[in-house]
Amino acid sequence: MTELASKRSLDTLQLGRAFAALAVVGHHTTRTLAQPKYLGENVFPIFNAGDSGVMYFFVLSGFVIFLAHANDFGDRDNALRFVWRRVQRIYPALWVALICVVPLVLLMKADLSFYDLFSSFLLLPIEHEPIIDVVWTLRHEVIFYAIFAVAIWNPRIGWIAGAVWLALSFVQPVLFPVYPLAFVFHPAHVLFGLGILAYWLFDRRDIVSPKLCLTLGIVLFGGTWIAVAYGAFLKNAISTWCYGVGAMLMILGGVVLETKAALRLPRVLIFLGEASYSIYLVHFPALSGFAKVATKLKALGIPNELLFVMVATGGVAVGVVFYLLVERPLLTFFRTIGRVPKRVEA
């Protein structure tokens, strides 16, 4: 099954990327428009928990990284190639986004230190995100990628380091409540492990009822989302892990269904999945501009619900343009000079 999956991109994985990015856009649109200087109203409370898209993406990341590199362990050259792929996938687009946003942040007279800038460009640990809010998740991704690279280079050392890292992340709320250990052992890191578990079950072909698996995942993830959105469940480590288990079941059920039934999804959803990193990366700075426009349009009697859709759509559109003009050309360039073979992109 791994061989089948590695020969082409799985559409359900792209759908998952699109879902995660759009959920986060909805969350940030809600936060932005609820500010008194804009609409001053929480238009769609359901998106109070839209940041759960990040939790879905962490699980997805663990699954896809193993799907793409399961056969690379034990080779130092493969470790170097893995690091190069991760660098080209994340950093060039991030640097362009930061170069665009930093002047705006400085114009707002934000107090940025040299380390704020340095850590943002290299995704080093930091206590508070100073420039682009969503970049905090990439800092955690980098830790996962570093441990995975070690595992490729030396599986024994890497697997031990990974197991210890996940175990300490599981107990972080009790043992390491403050920065920097709270960052290094964040409870969301457990979700990478759930993604790895999903891949292992997928590779073993142990899922006999993928529809049931997918349904249970949707119920758990969606139920946690609703409970958190309306205050019945706190945003904490427990809700994070509930999201994680739900996402694991959704991803696992989806990919098994796709490989067994040749499932195909609308191209627009696949495209949004391909553009999801750009959407995720640049939508938040764009929302403020669209929110200002929405505030002026409100005087024309346009319902807040429609203004919400307009602002969110604007944020997505900016991300899509960034993907077409910046991220995709950069990926093509680096793949060309690096001679990276076509594989499932993480």
Side-chain angles (χ1 to χ4, degrees), residues 71-81 149 151-155:
N71 298 321
D72 292 347
F73 292 99
D75 188 318
R76 295 190 178 187
D77 290 338
N78 285 337
L80 293 175
R81 283 191 288 269
I152 294 176
W153 174 68
N154 187 312

Side-chain angles (χ1 to χ4, degrees), residues 21-51 225 228-230 235 283-284 287-288 291 294 304-305 307-313 315:
L22 294 178
V24 173
V25 171
H27 176 68
H28 286 147
T29 303
T30 292
R31 281 177 48 188
T32 301
L33 292 180
Q35 296 181 45
K37 62 180 179 179
Y38 297 127
L39 300 186
E41 178 186 347
N42 191 341
V43 181
F44 289 112
I46 189 67
F47 284 111
N48 290 338
D51 52 347
W225 178 319
V228 171
Y230 291 98
K235 290 184 180 181
H283 77 274
F284 198 25
L287 289 179
S288 294
N304 286 351
E305 292 78 7
L307 293 174
F308 179 99
V309 173
M310 292 169 60
V311 172
T313 301

Side-chain angles (χ1 to χ4, degrees), residues 94-266:
L94 170 66
W95 291 339
V96 174
L98 287 170
I99 289 170
C100 293
V101 172
V102 166
L104 299 176
V105 175
L106 293 176
L107 284 174
M108 295 170 62
K109 298 182 180 180
D111 185 17
L112 293 179
S113 68
F114 173 78
Y115 186 74
D116 289 336
L117 294 170
F118 184 72
S119 68
S120 293
F121 277 86
L122 294 185
L123 296 176
L124 301 176
I126 197 168
E127 189 168 6
H128 302 291
E129 198 59 55
I131 301 174
I132 300 178
D133 185 69
V134 299
V135 169
W136 73 269
T137 62
L138 300 180
R139 300 178 193 271
H140 294 281
E141 288 276 348
V142 165
I143 298 176
F144 172 58
Y145 294 155
I147 294 174
F148 195 90
V150 172
I152 294 176
W153 174 68
N154 187 312
R156 177 175 296 181
I157 294 176
W159 280 110
I160 292 174
V164 171
W165 180 61
L166 292 176
L168 292 178
S169 296
F170 186 76
V171 298
Q172 178 272 328
V174 175
L175 298 183
F176 313 114
V178 297
Y179 181 86
L181 291 181
F183 174 91
V184 177
F185 303 111
H186 194 283
H189 296 158
V190 174
L191 307 188
F192 294 118
L194 292 174
I196 294 169
L197 176 61
Y199 165 78
W200 182 75
L201 293 171
F202 172 64
D203 191 51
R204 285 173 54 89
R205 309 184 188 188
D206 282 346
I207 304 302
V208 295
S209 181
K211 290 183 179 179
L212 177 61
C213 183
L214 177 61
T215 301
L216 290 175
I218 292 173
V219 169
L220 179 56
F221 192 97
T224 304
W225 178 319
I226 293 171
V228 171
Y230 291 98
F233 202 177
L234 296 177
K235 290 184 180 181
N236 54 26
I238 302 300
S239 61
T240 293
W241 296 331
C242 287
Y243 283 132
V245 175
M248 181 191 75
L249 294 173
M250 290 168 67
I251 292 166
L252 185 55
V255 294
V256 173
L257 276 175
E258 182 175 359
T259 53
K260 285 186 174 182
L263 178 67
R264 289 295 180 267
L265 299 169

Side-chain angles (χ1 to χ4, degrees), residues 252-308:
L252 185 55
V255 294
V256 173
L257 276 175
E258 182 175 359
T259 53
K260 285 186 174 182
L263 178 67
R264 289 295 180 267
L265 299 169
R267 178 59 198 169
V268 64
L269 296 178
I270 307 307
F271 174 77
L272 288 176
E274 294 168 351
S276 60
Y277 179 54
S278 288
I279 294 170
Y280 182 76
L281 193 60
V282 304
H283 77 274
F284 198 25
L287 289 179
S288 294
F290 289 112
K292 290 181 175 66
V293 175
T295 302
K296 295 183 180 299
L297 292 176
K298 182 177 174 61
L300 301 177
I302 298 176
N304 286 351
E305 292 78 7
L306 181 56
L307 293 174
F308 179 99

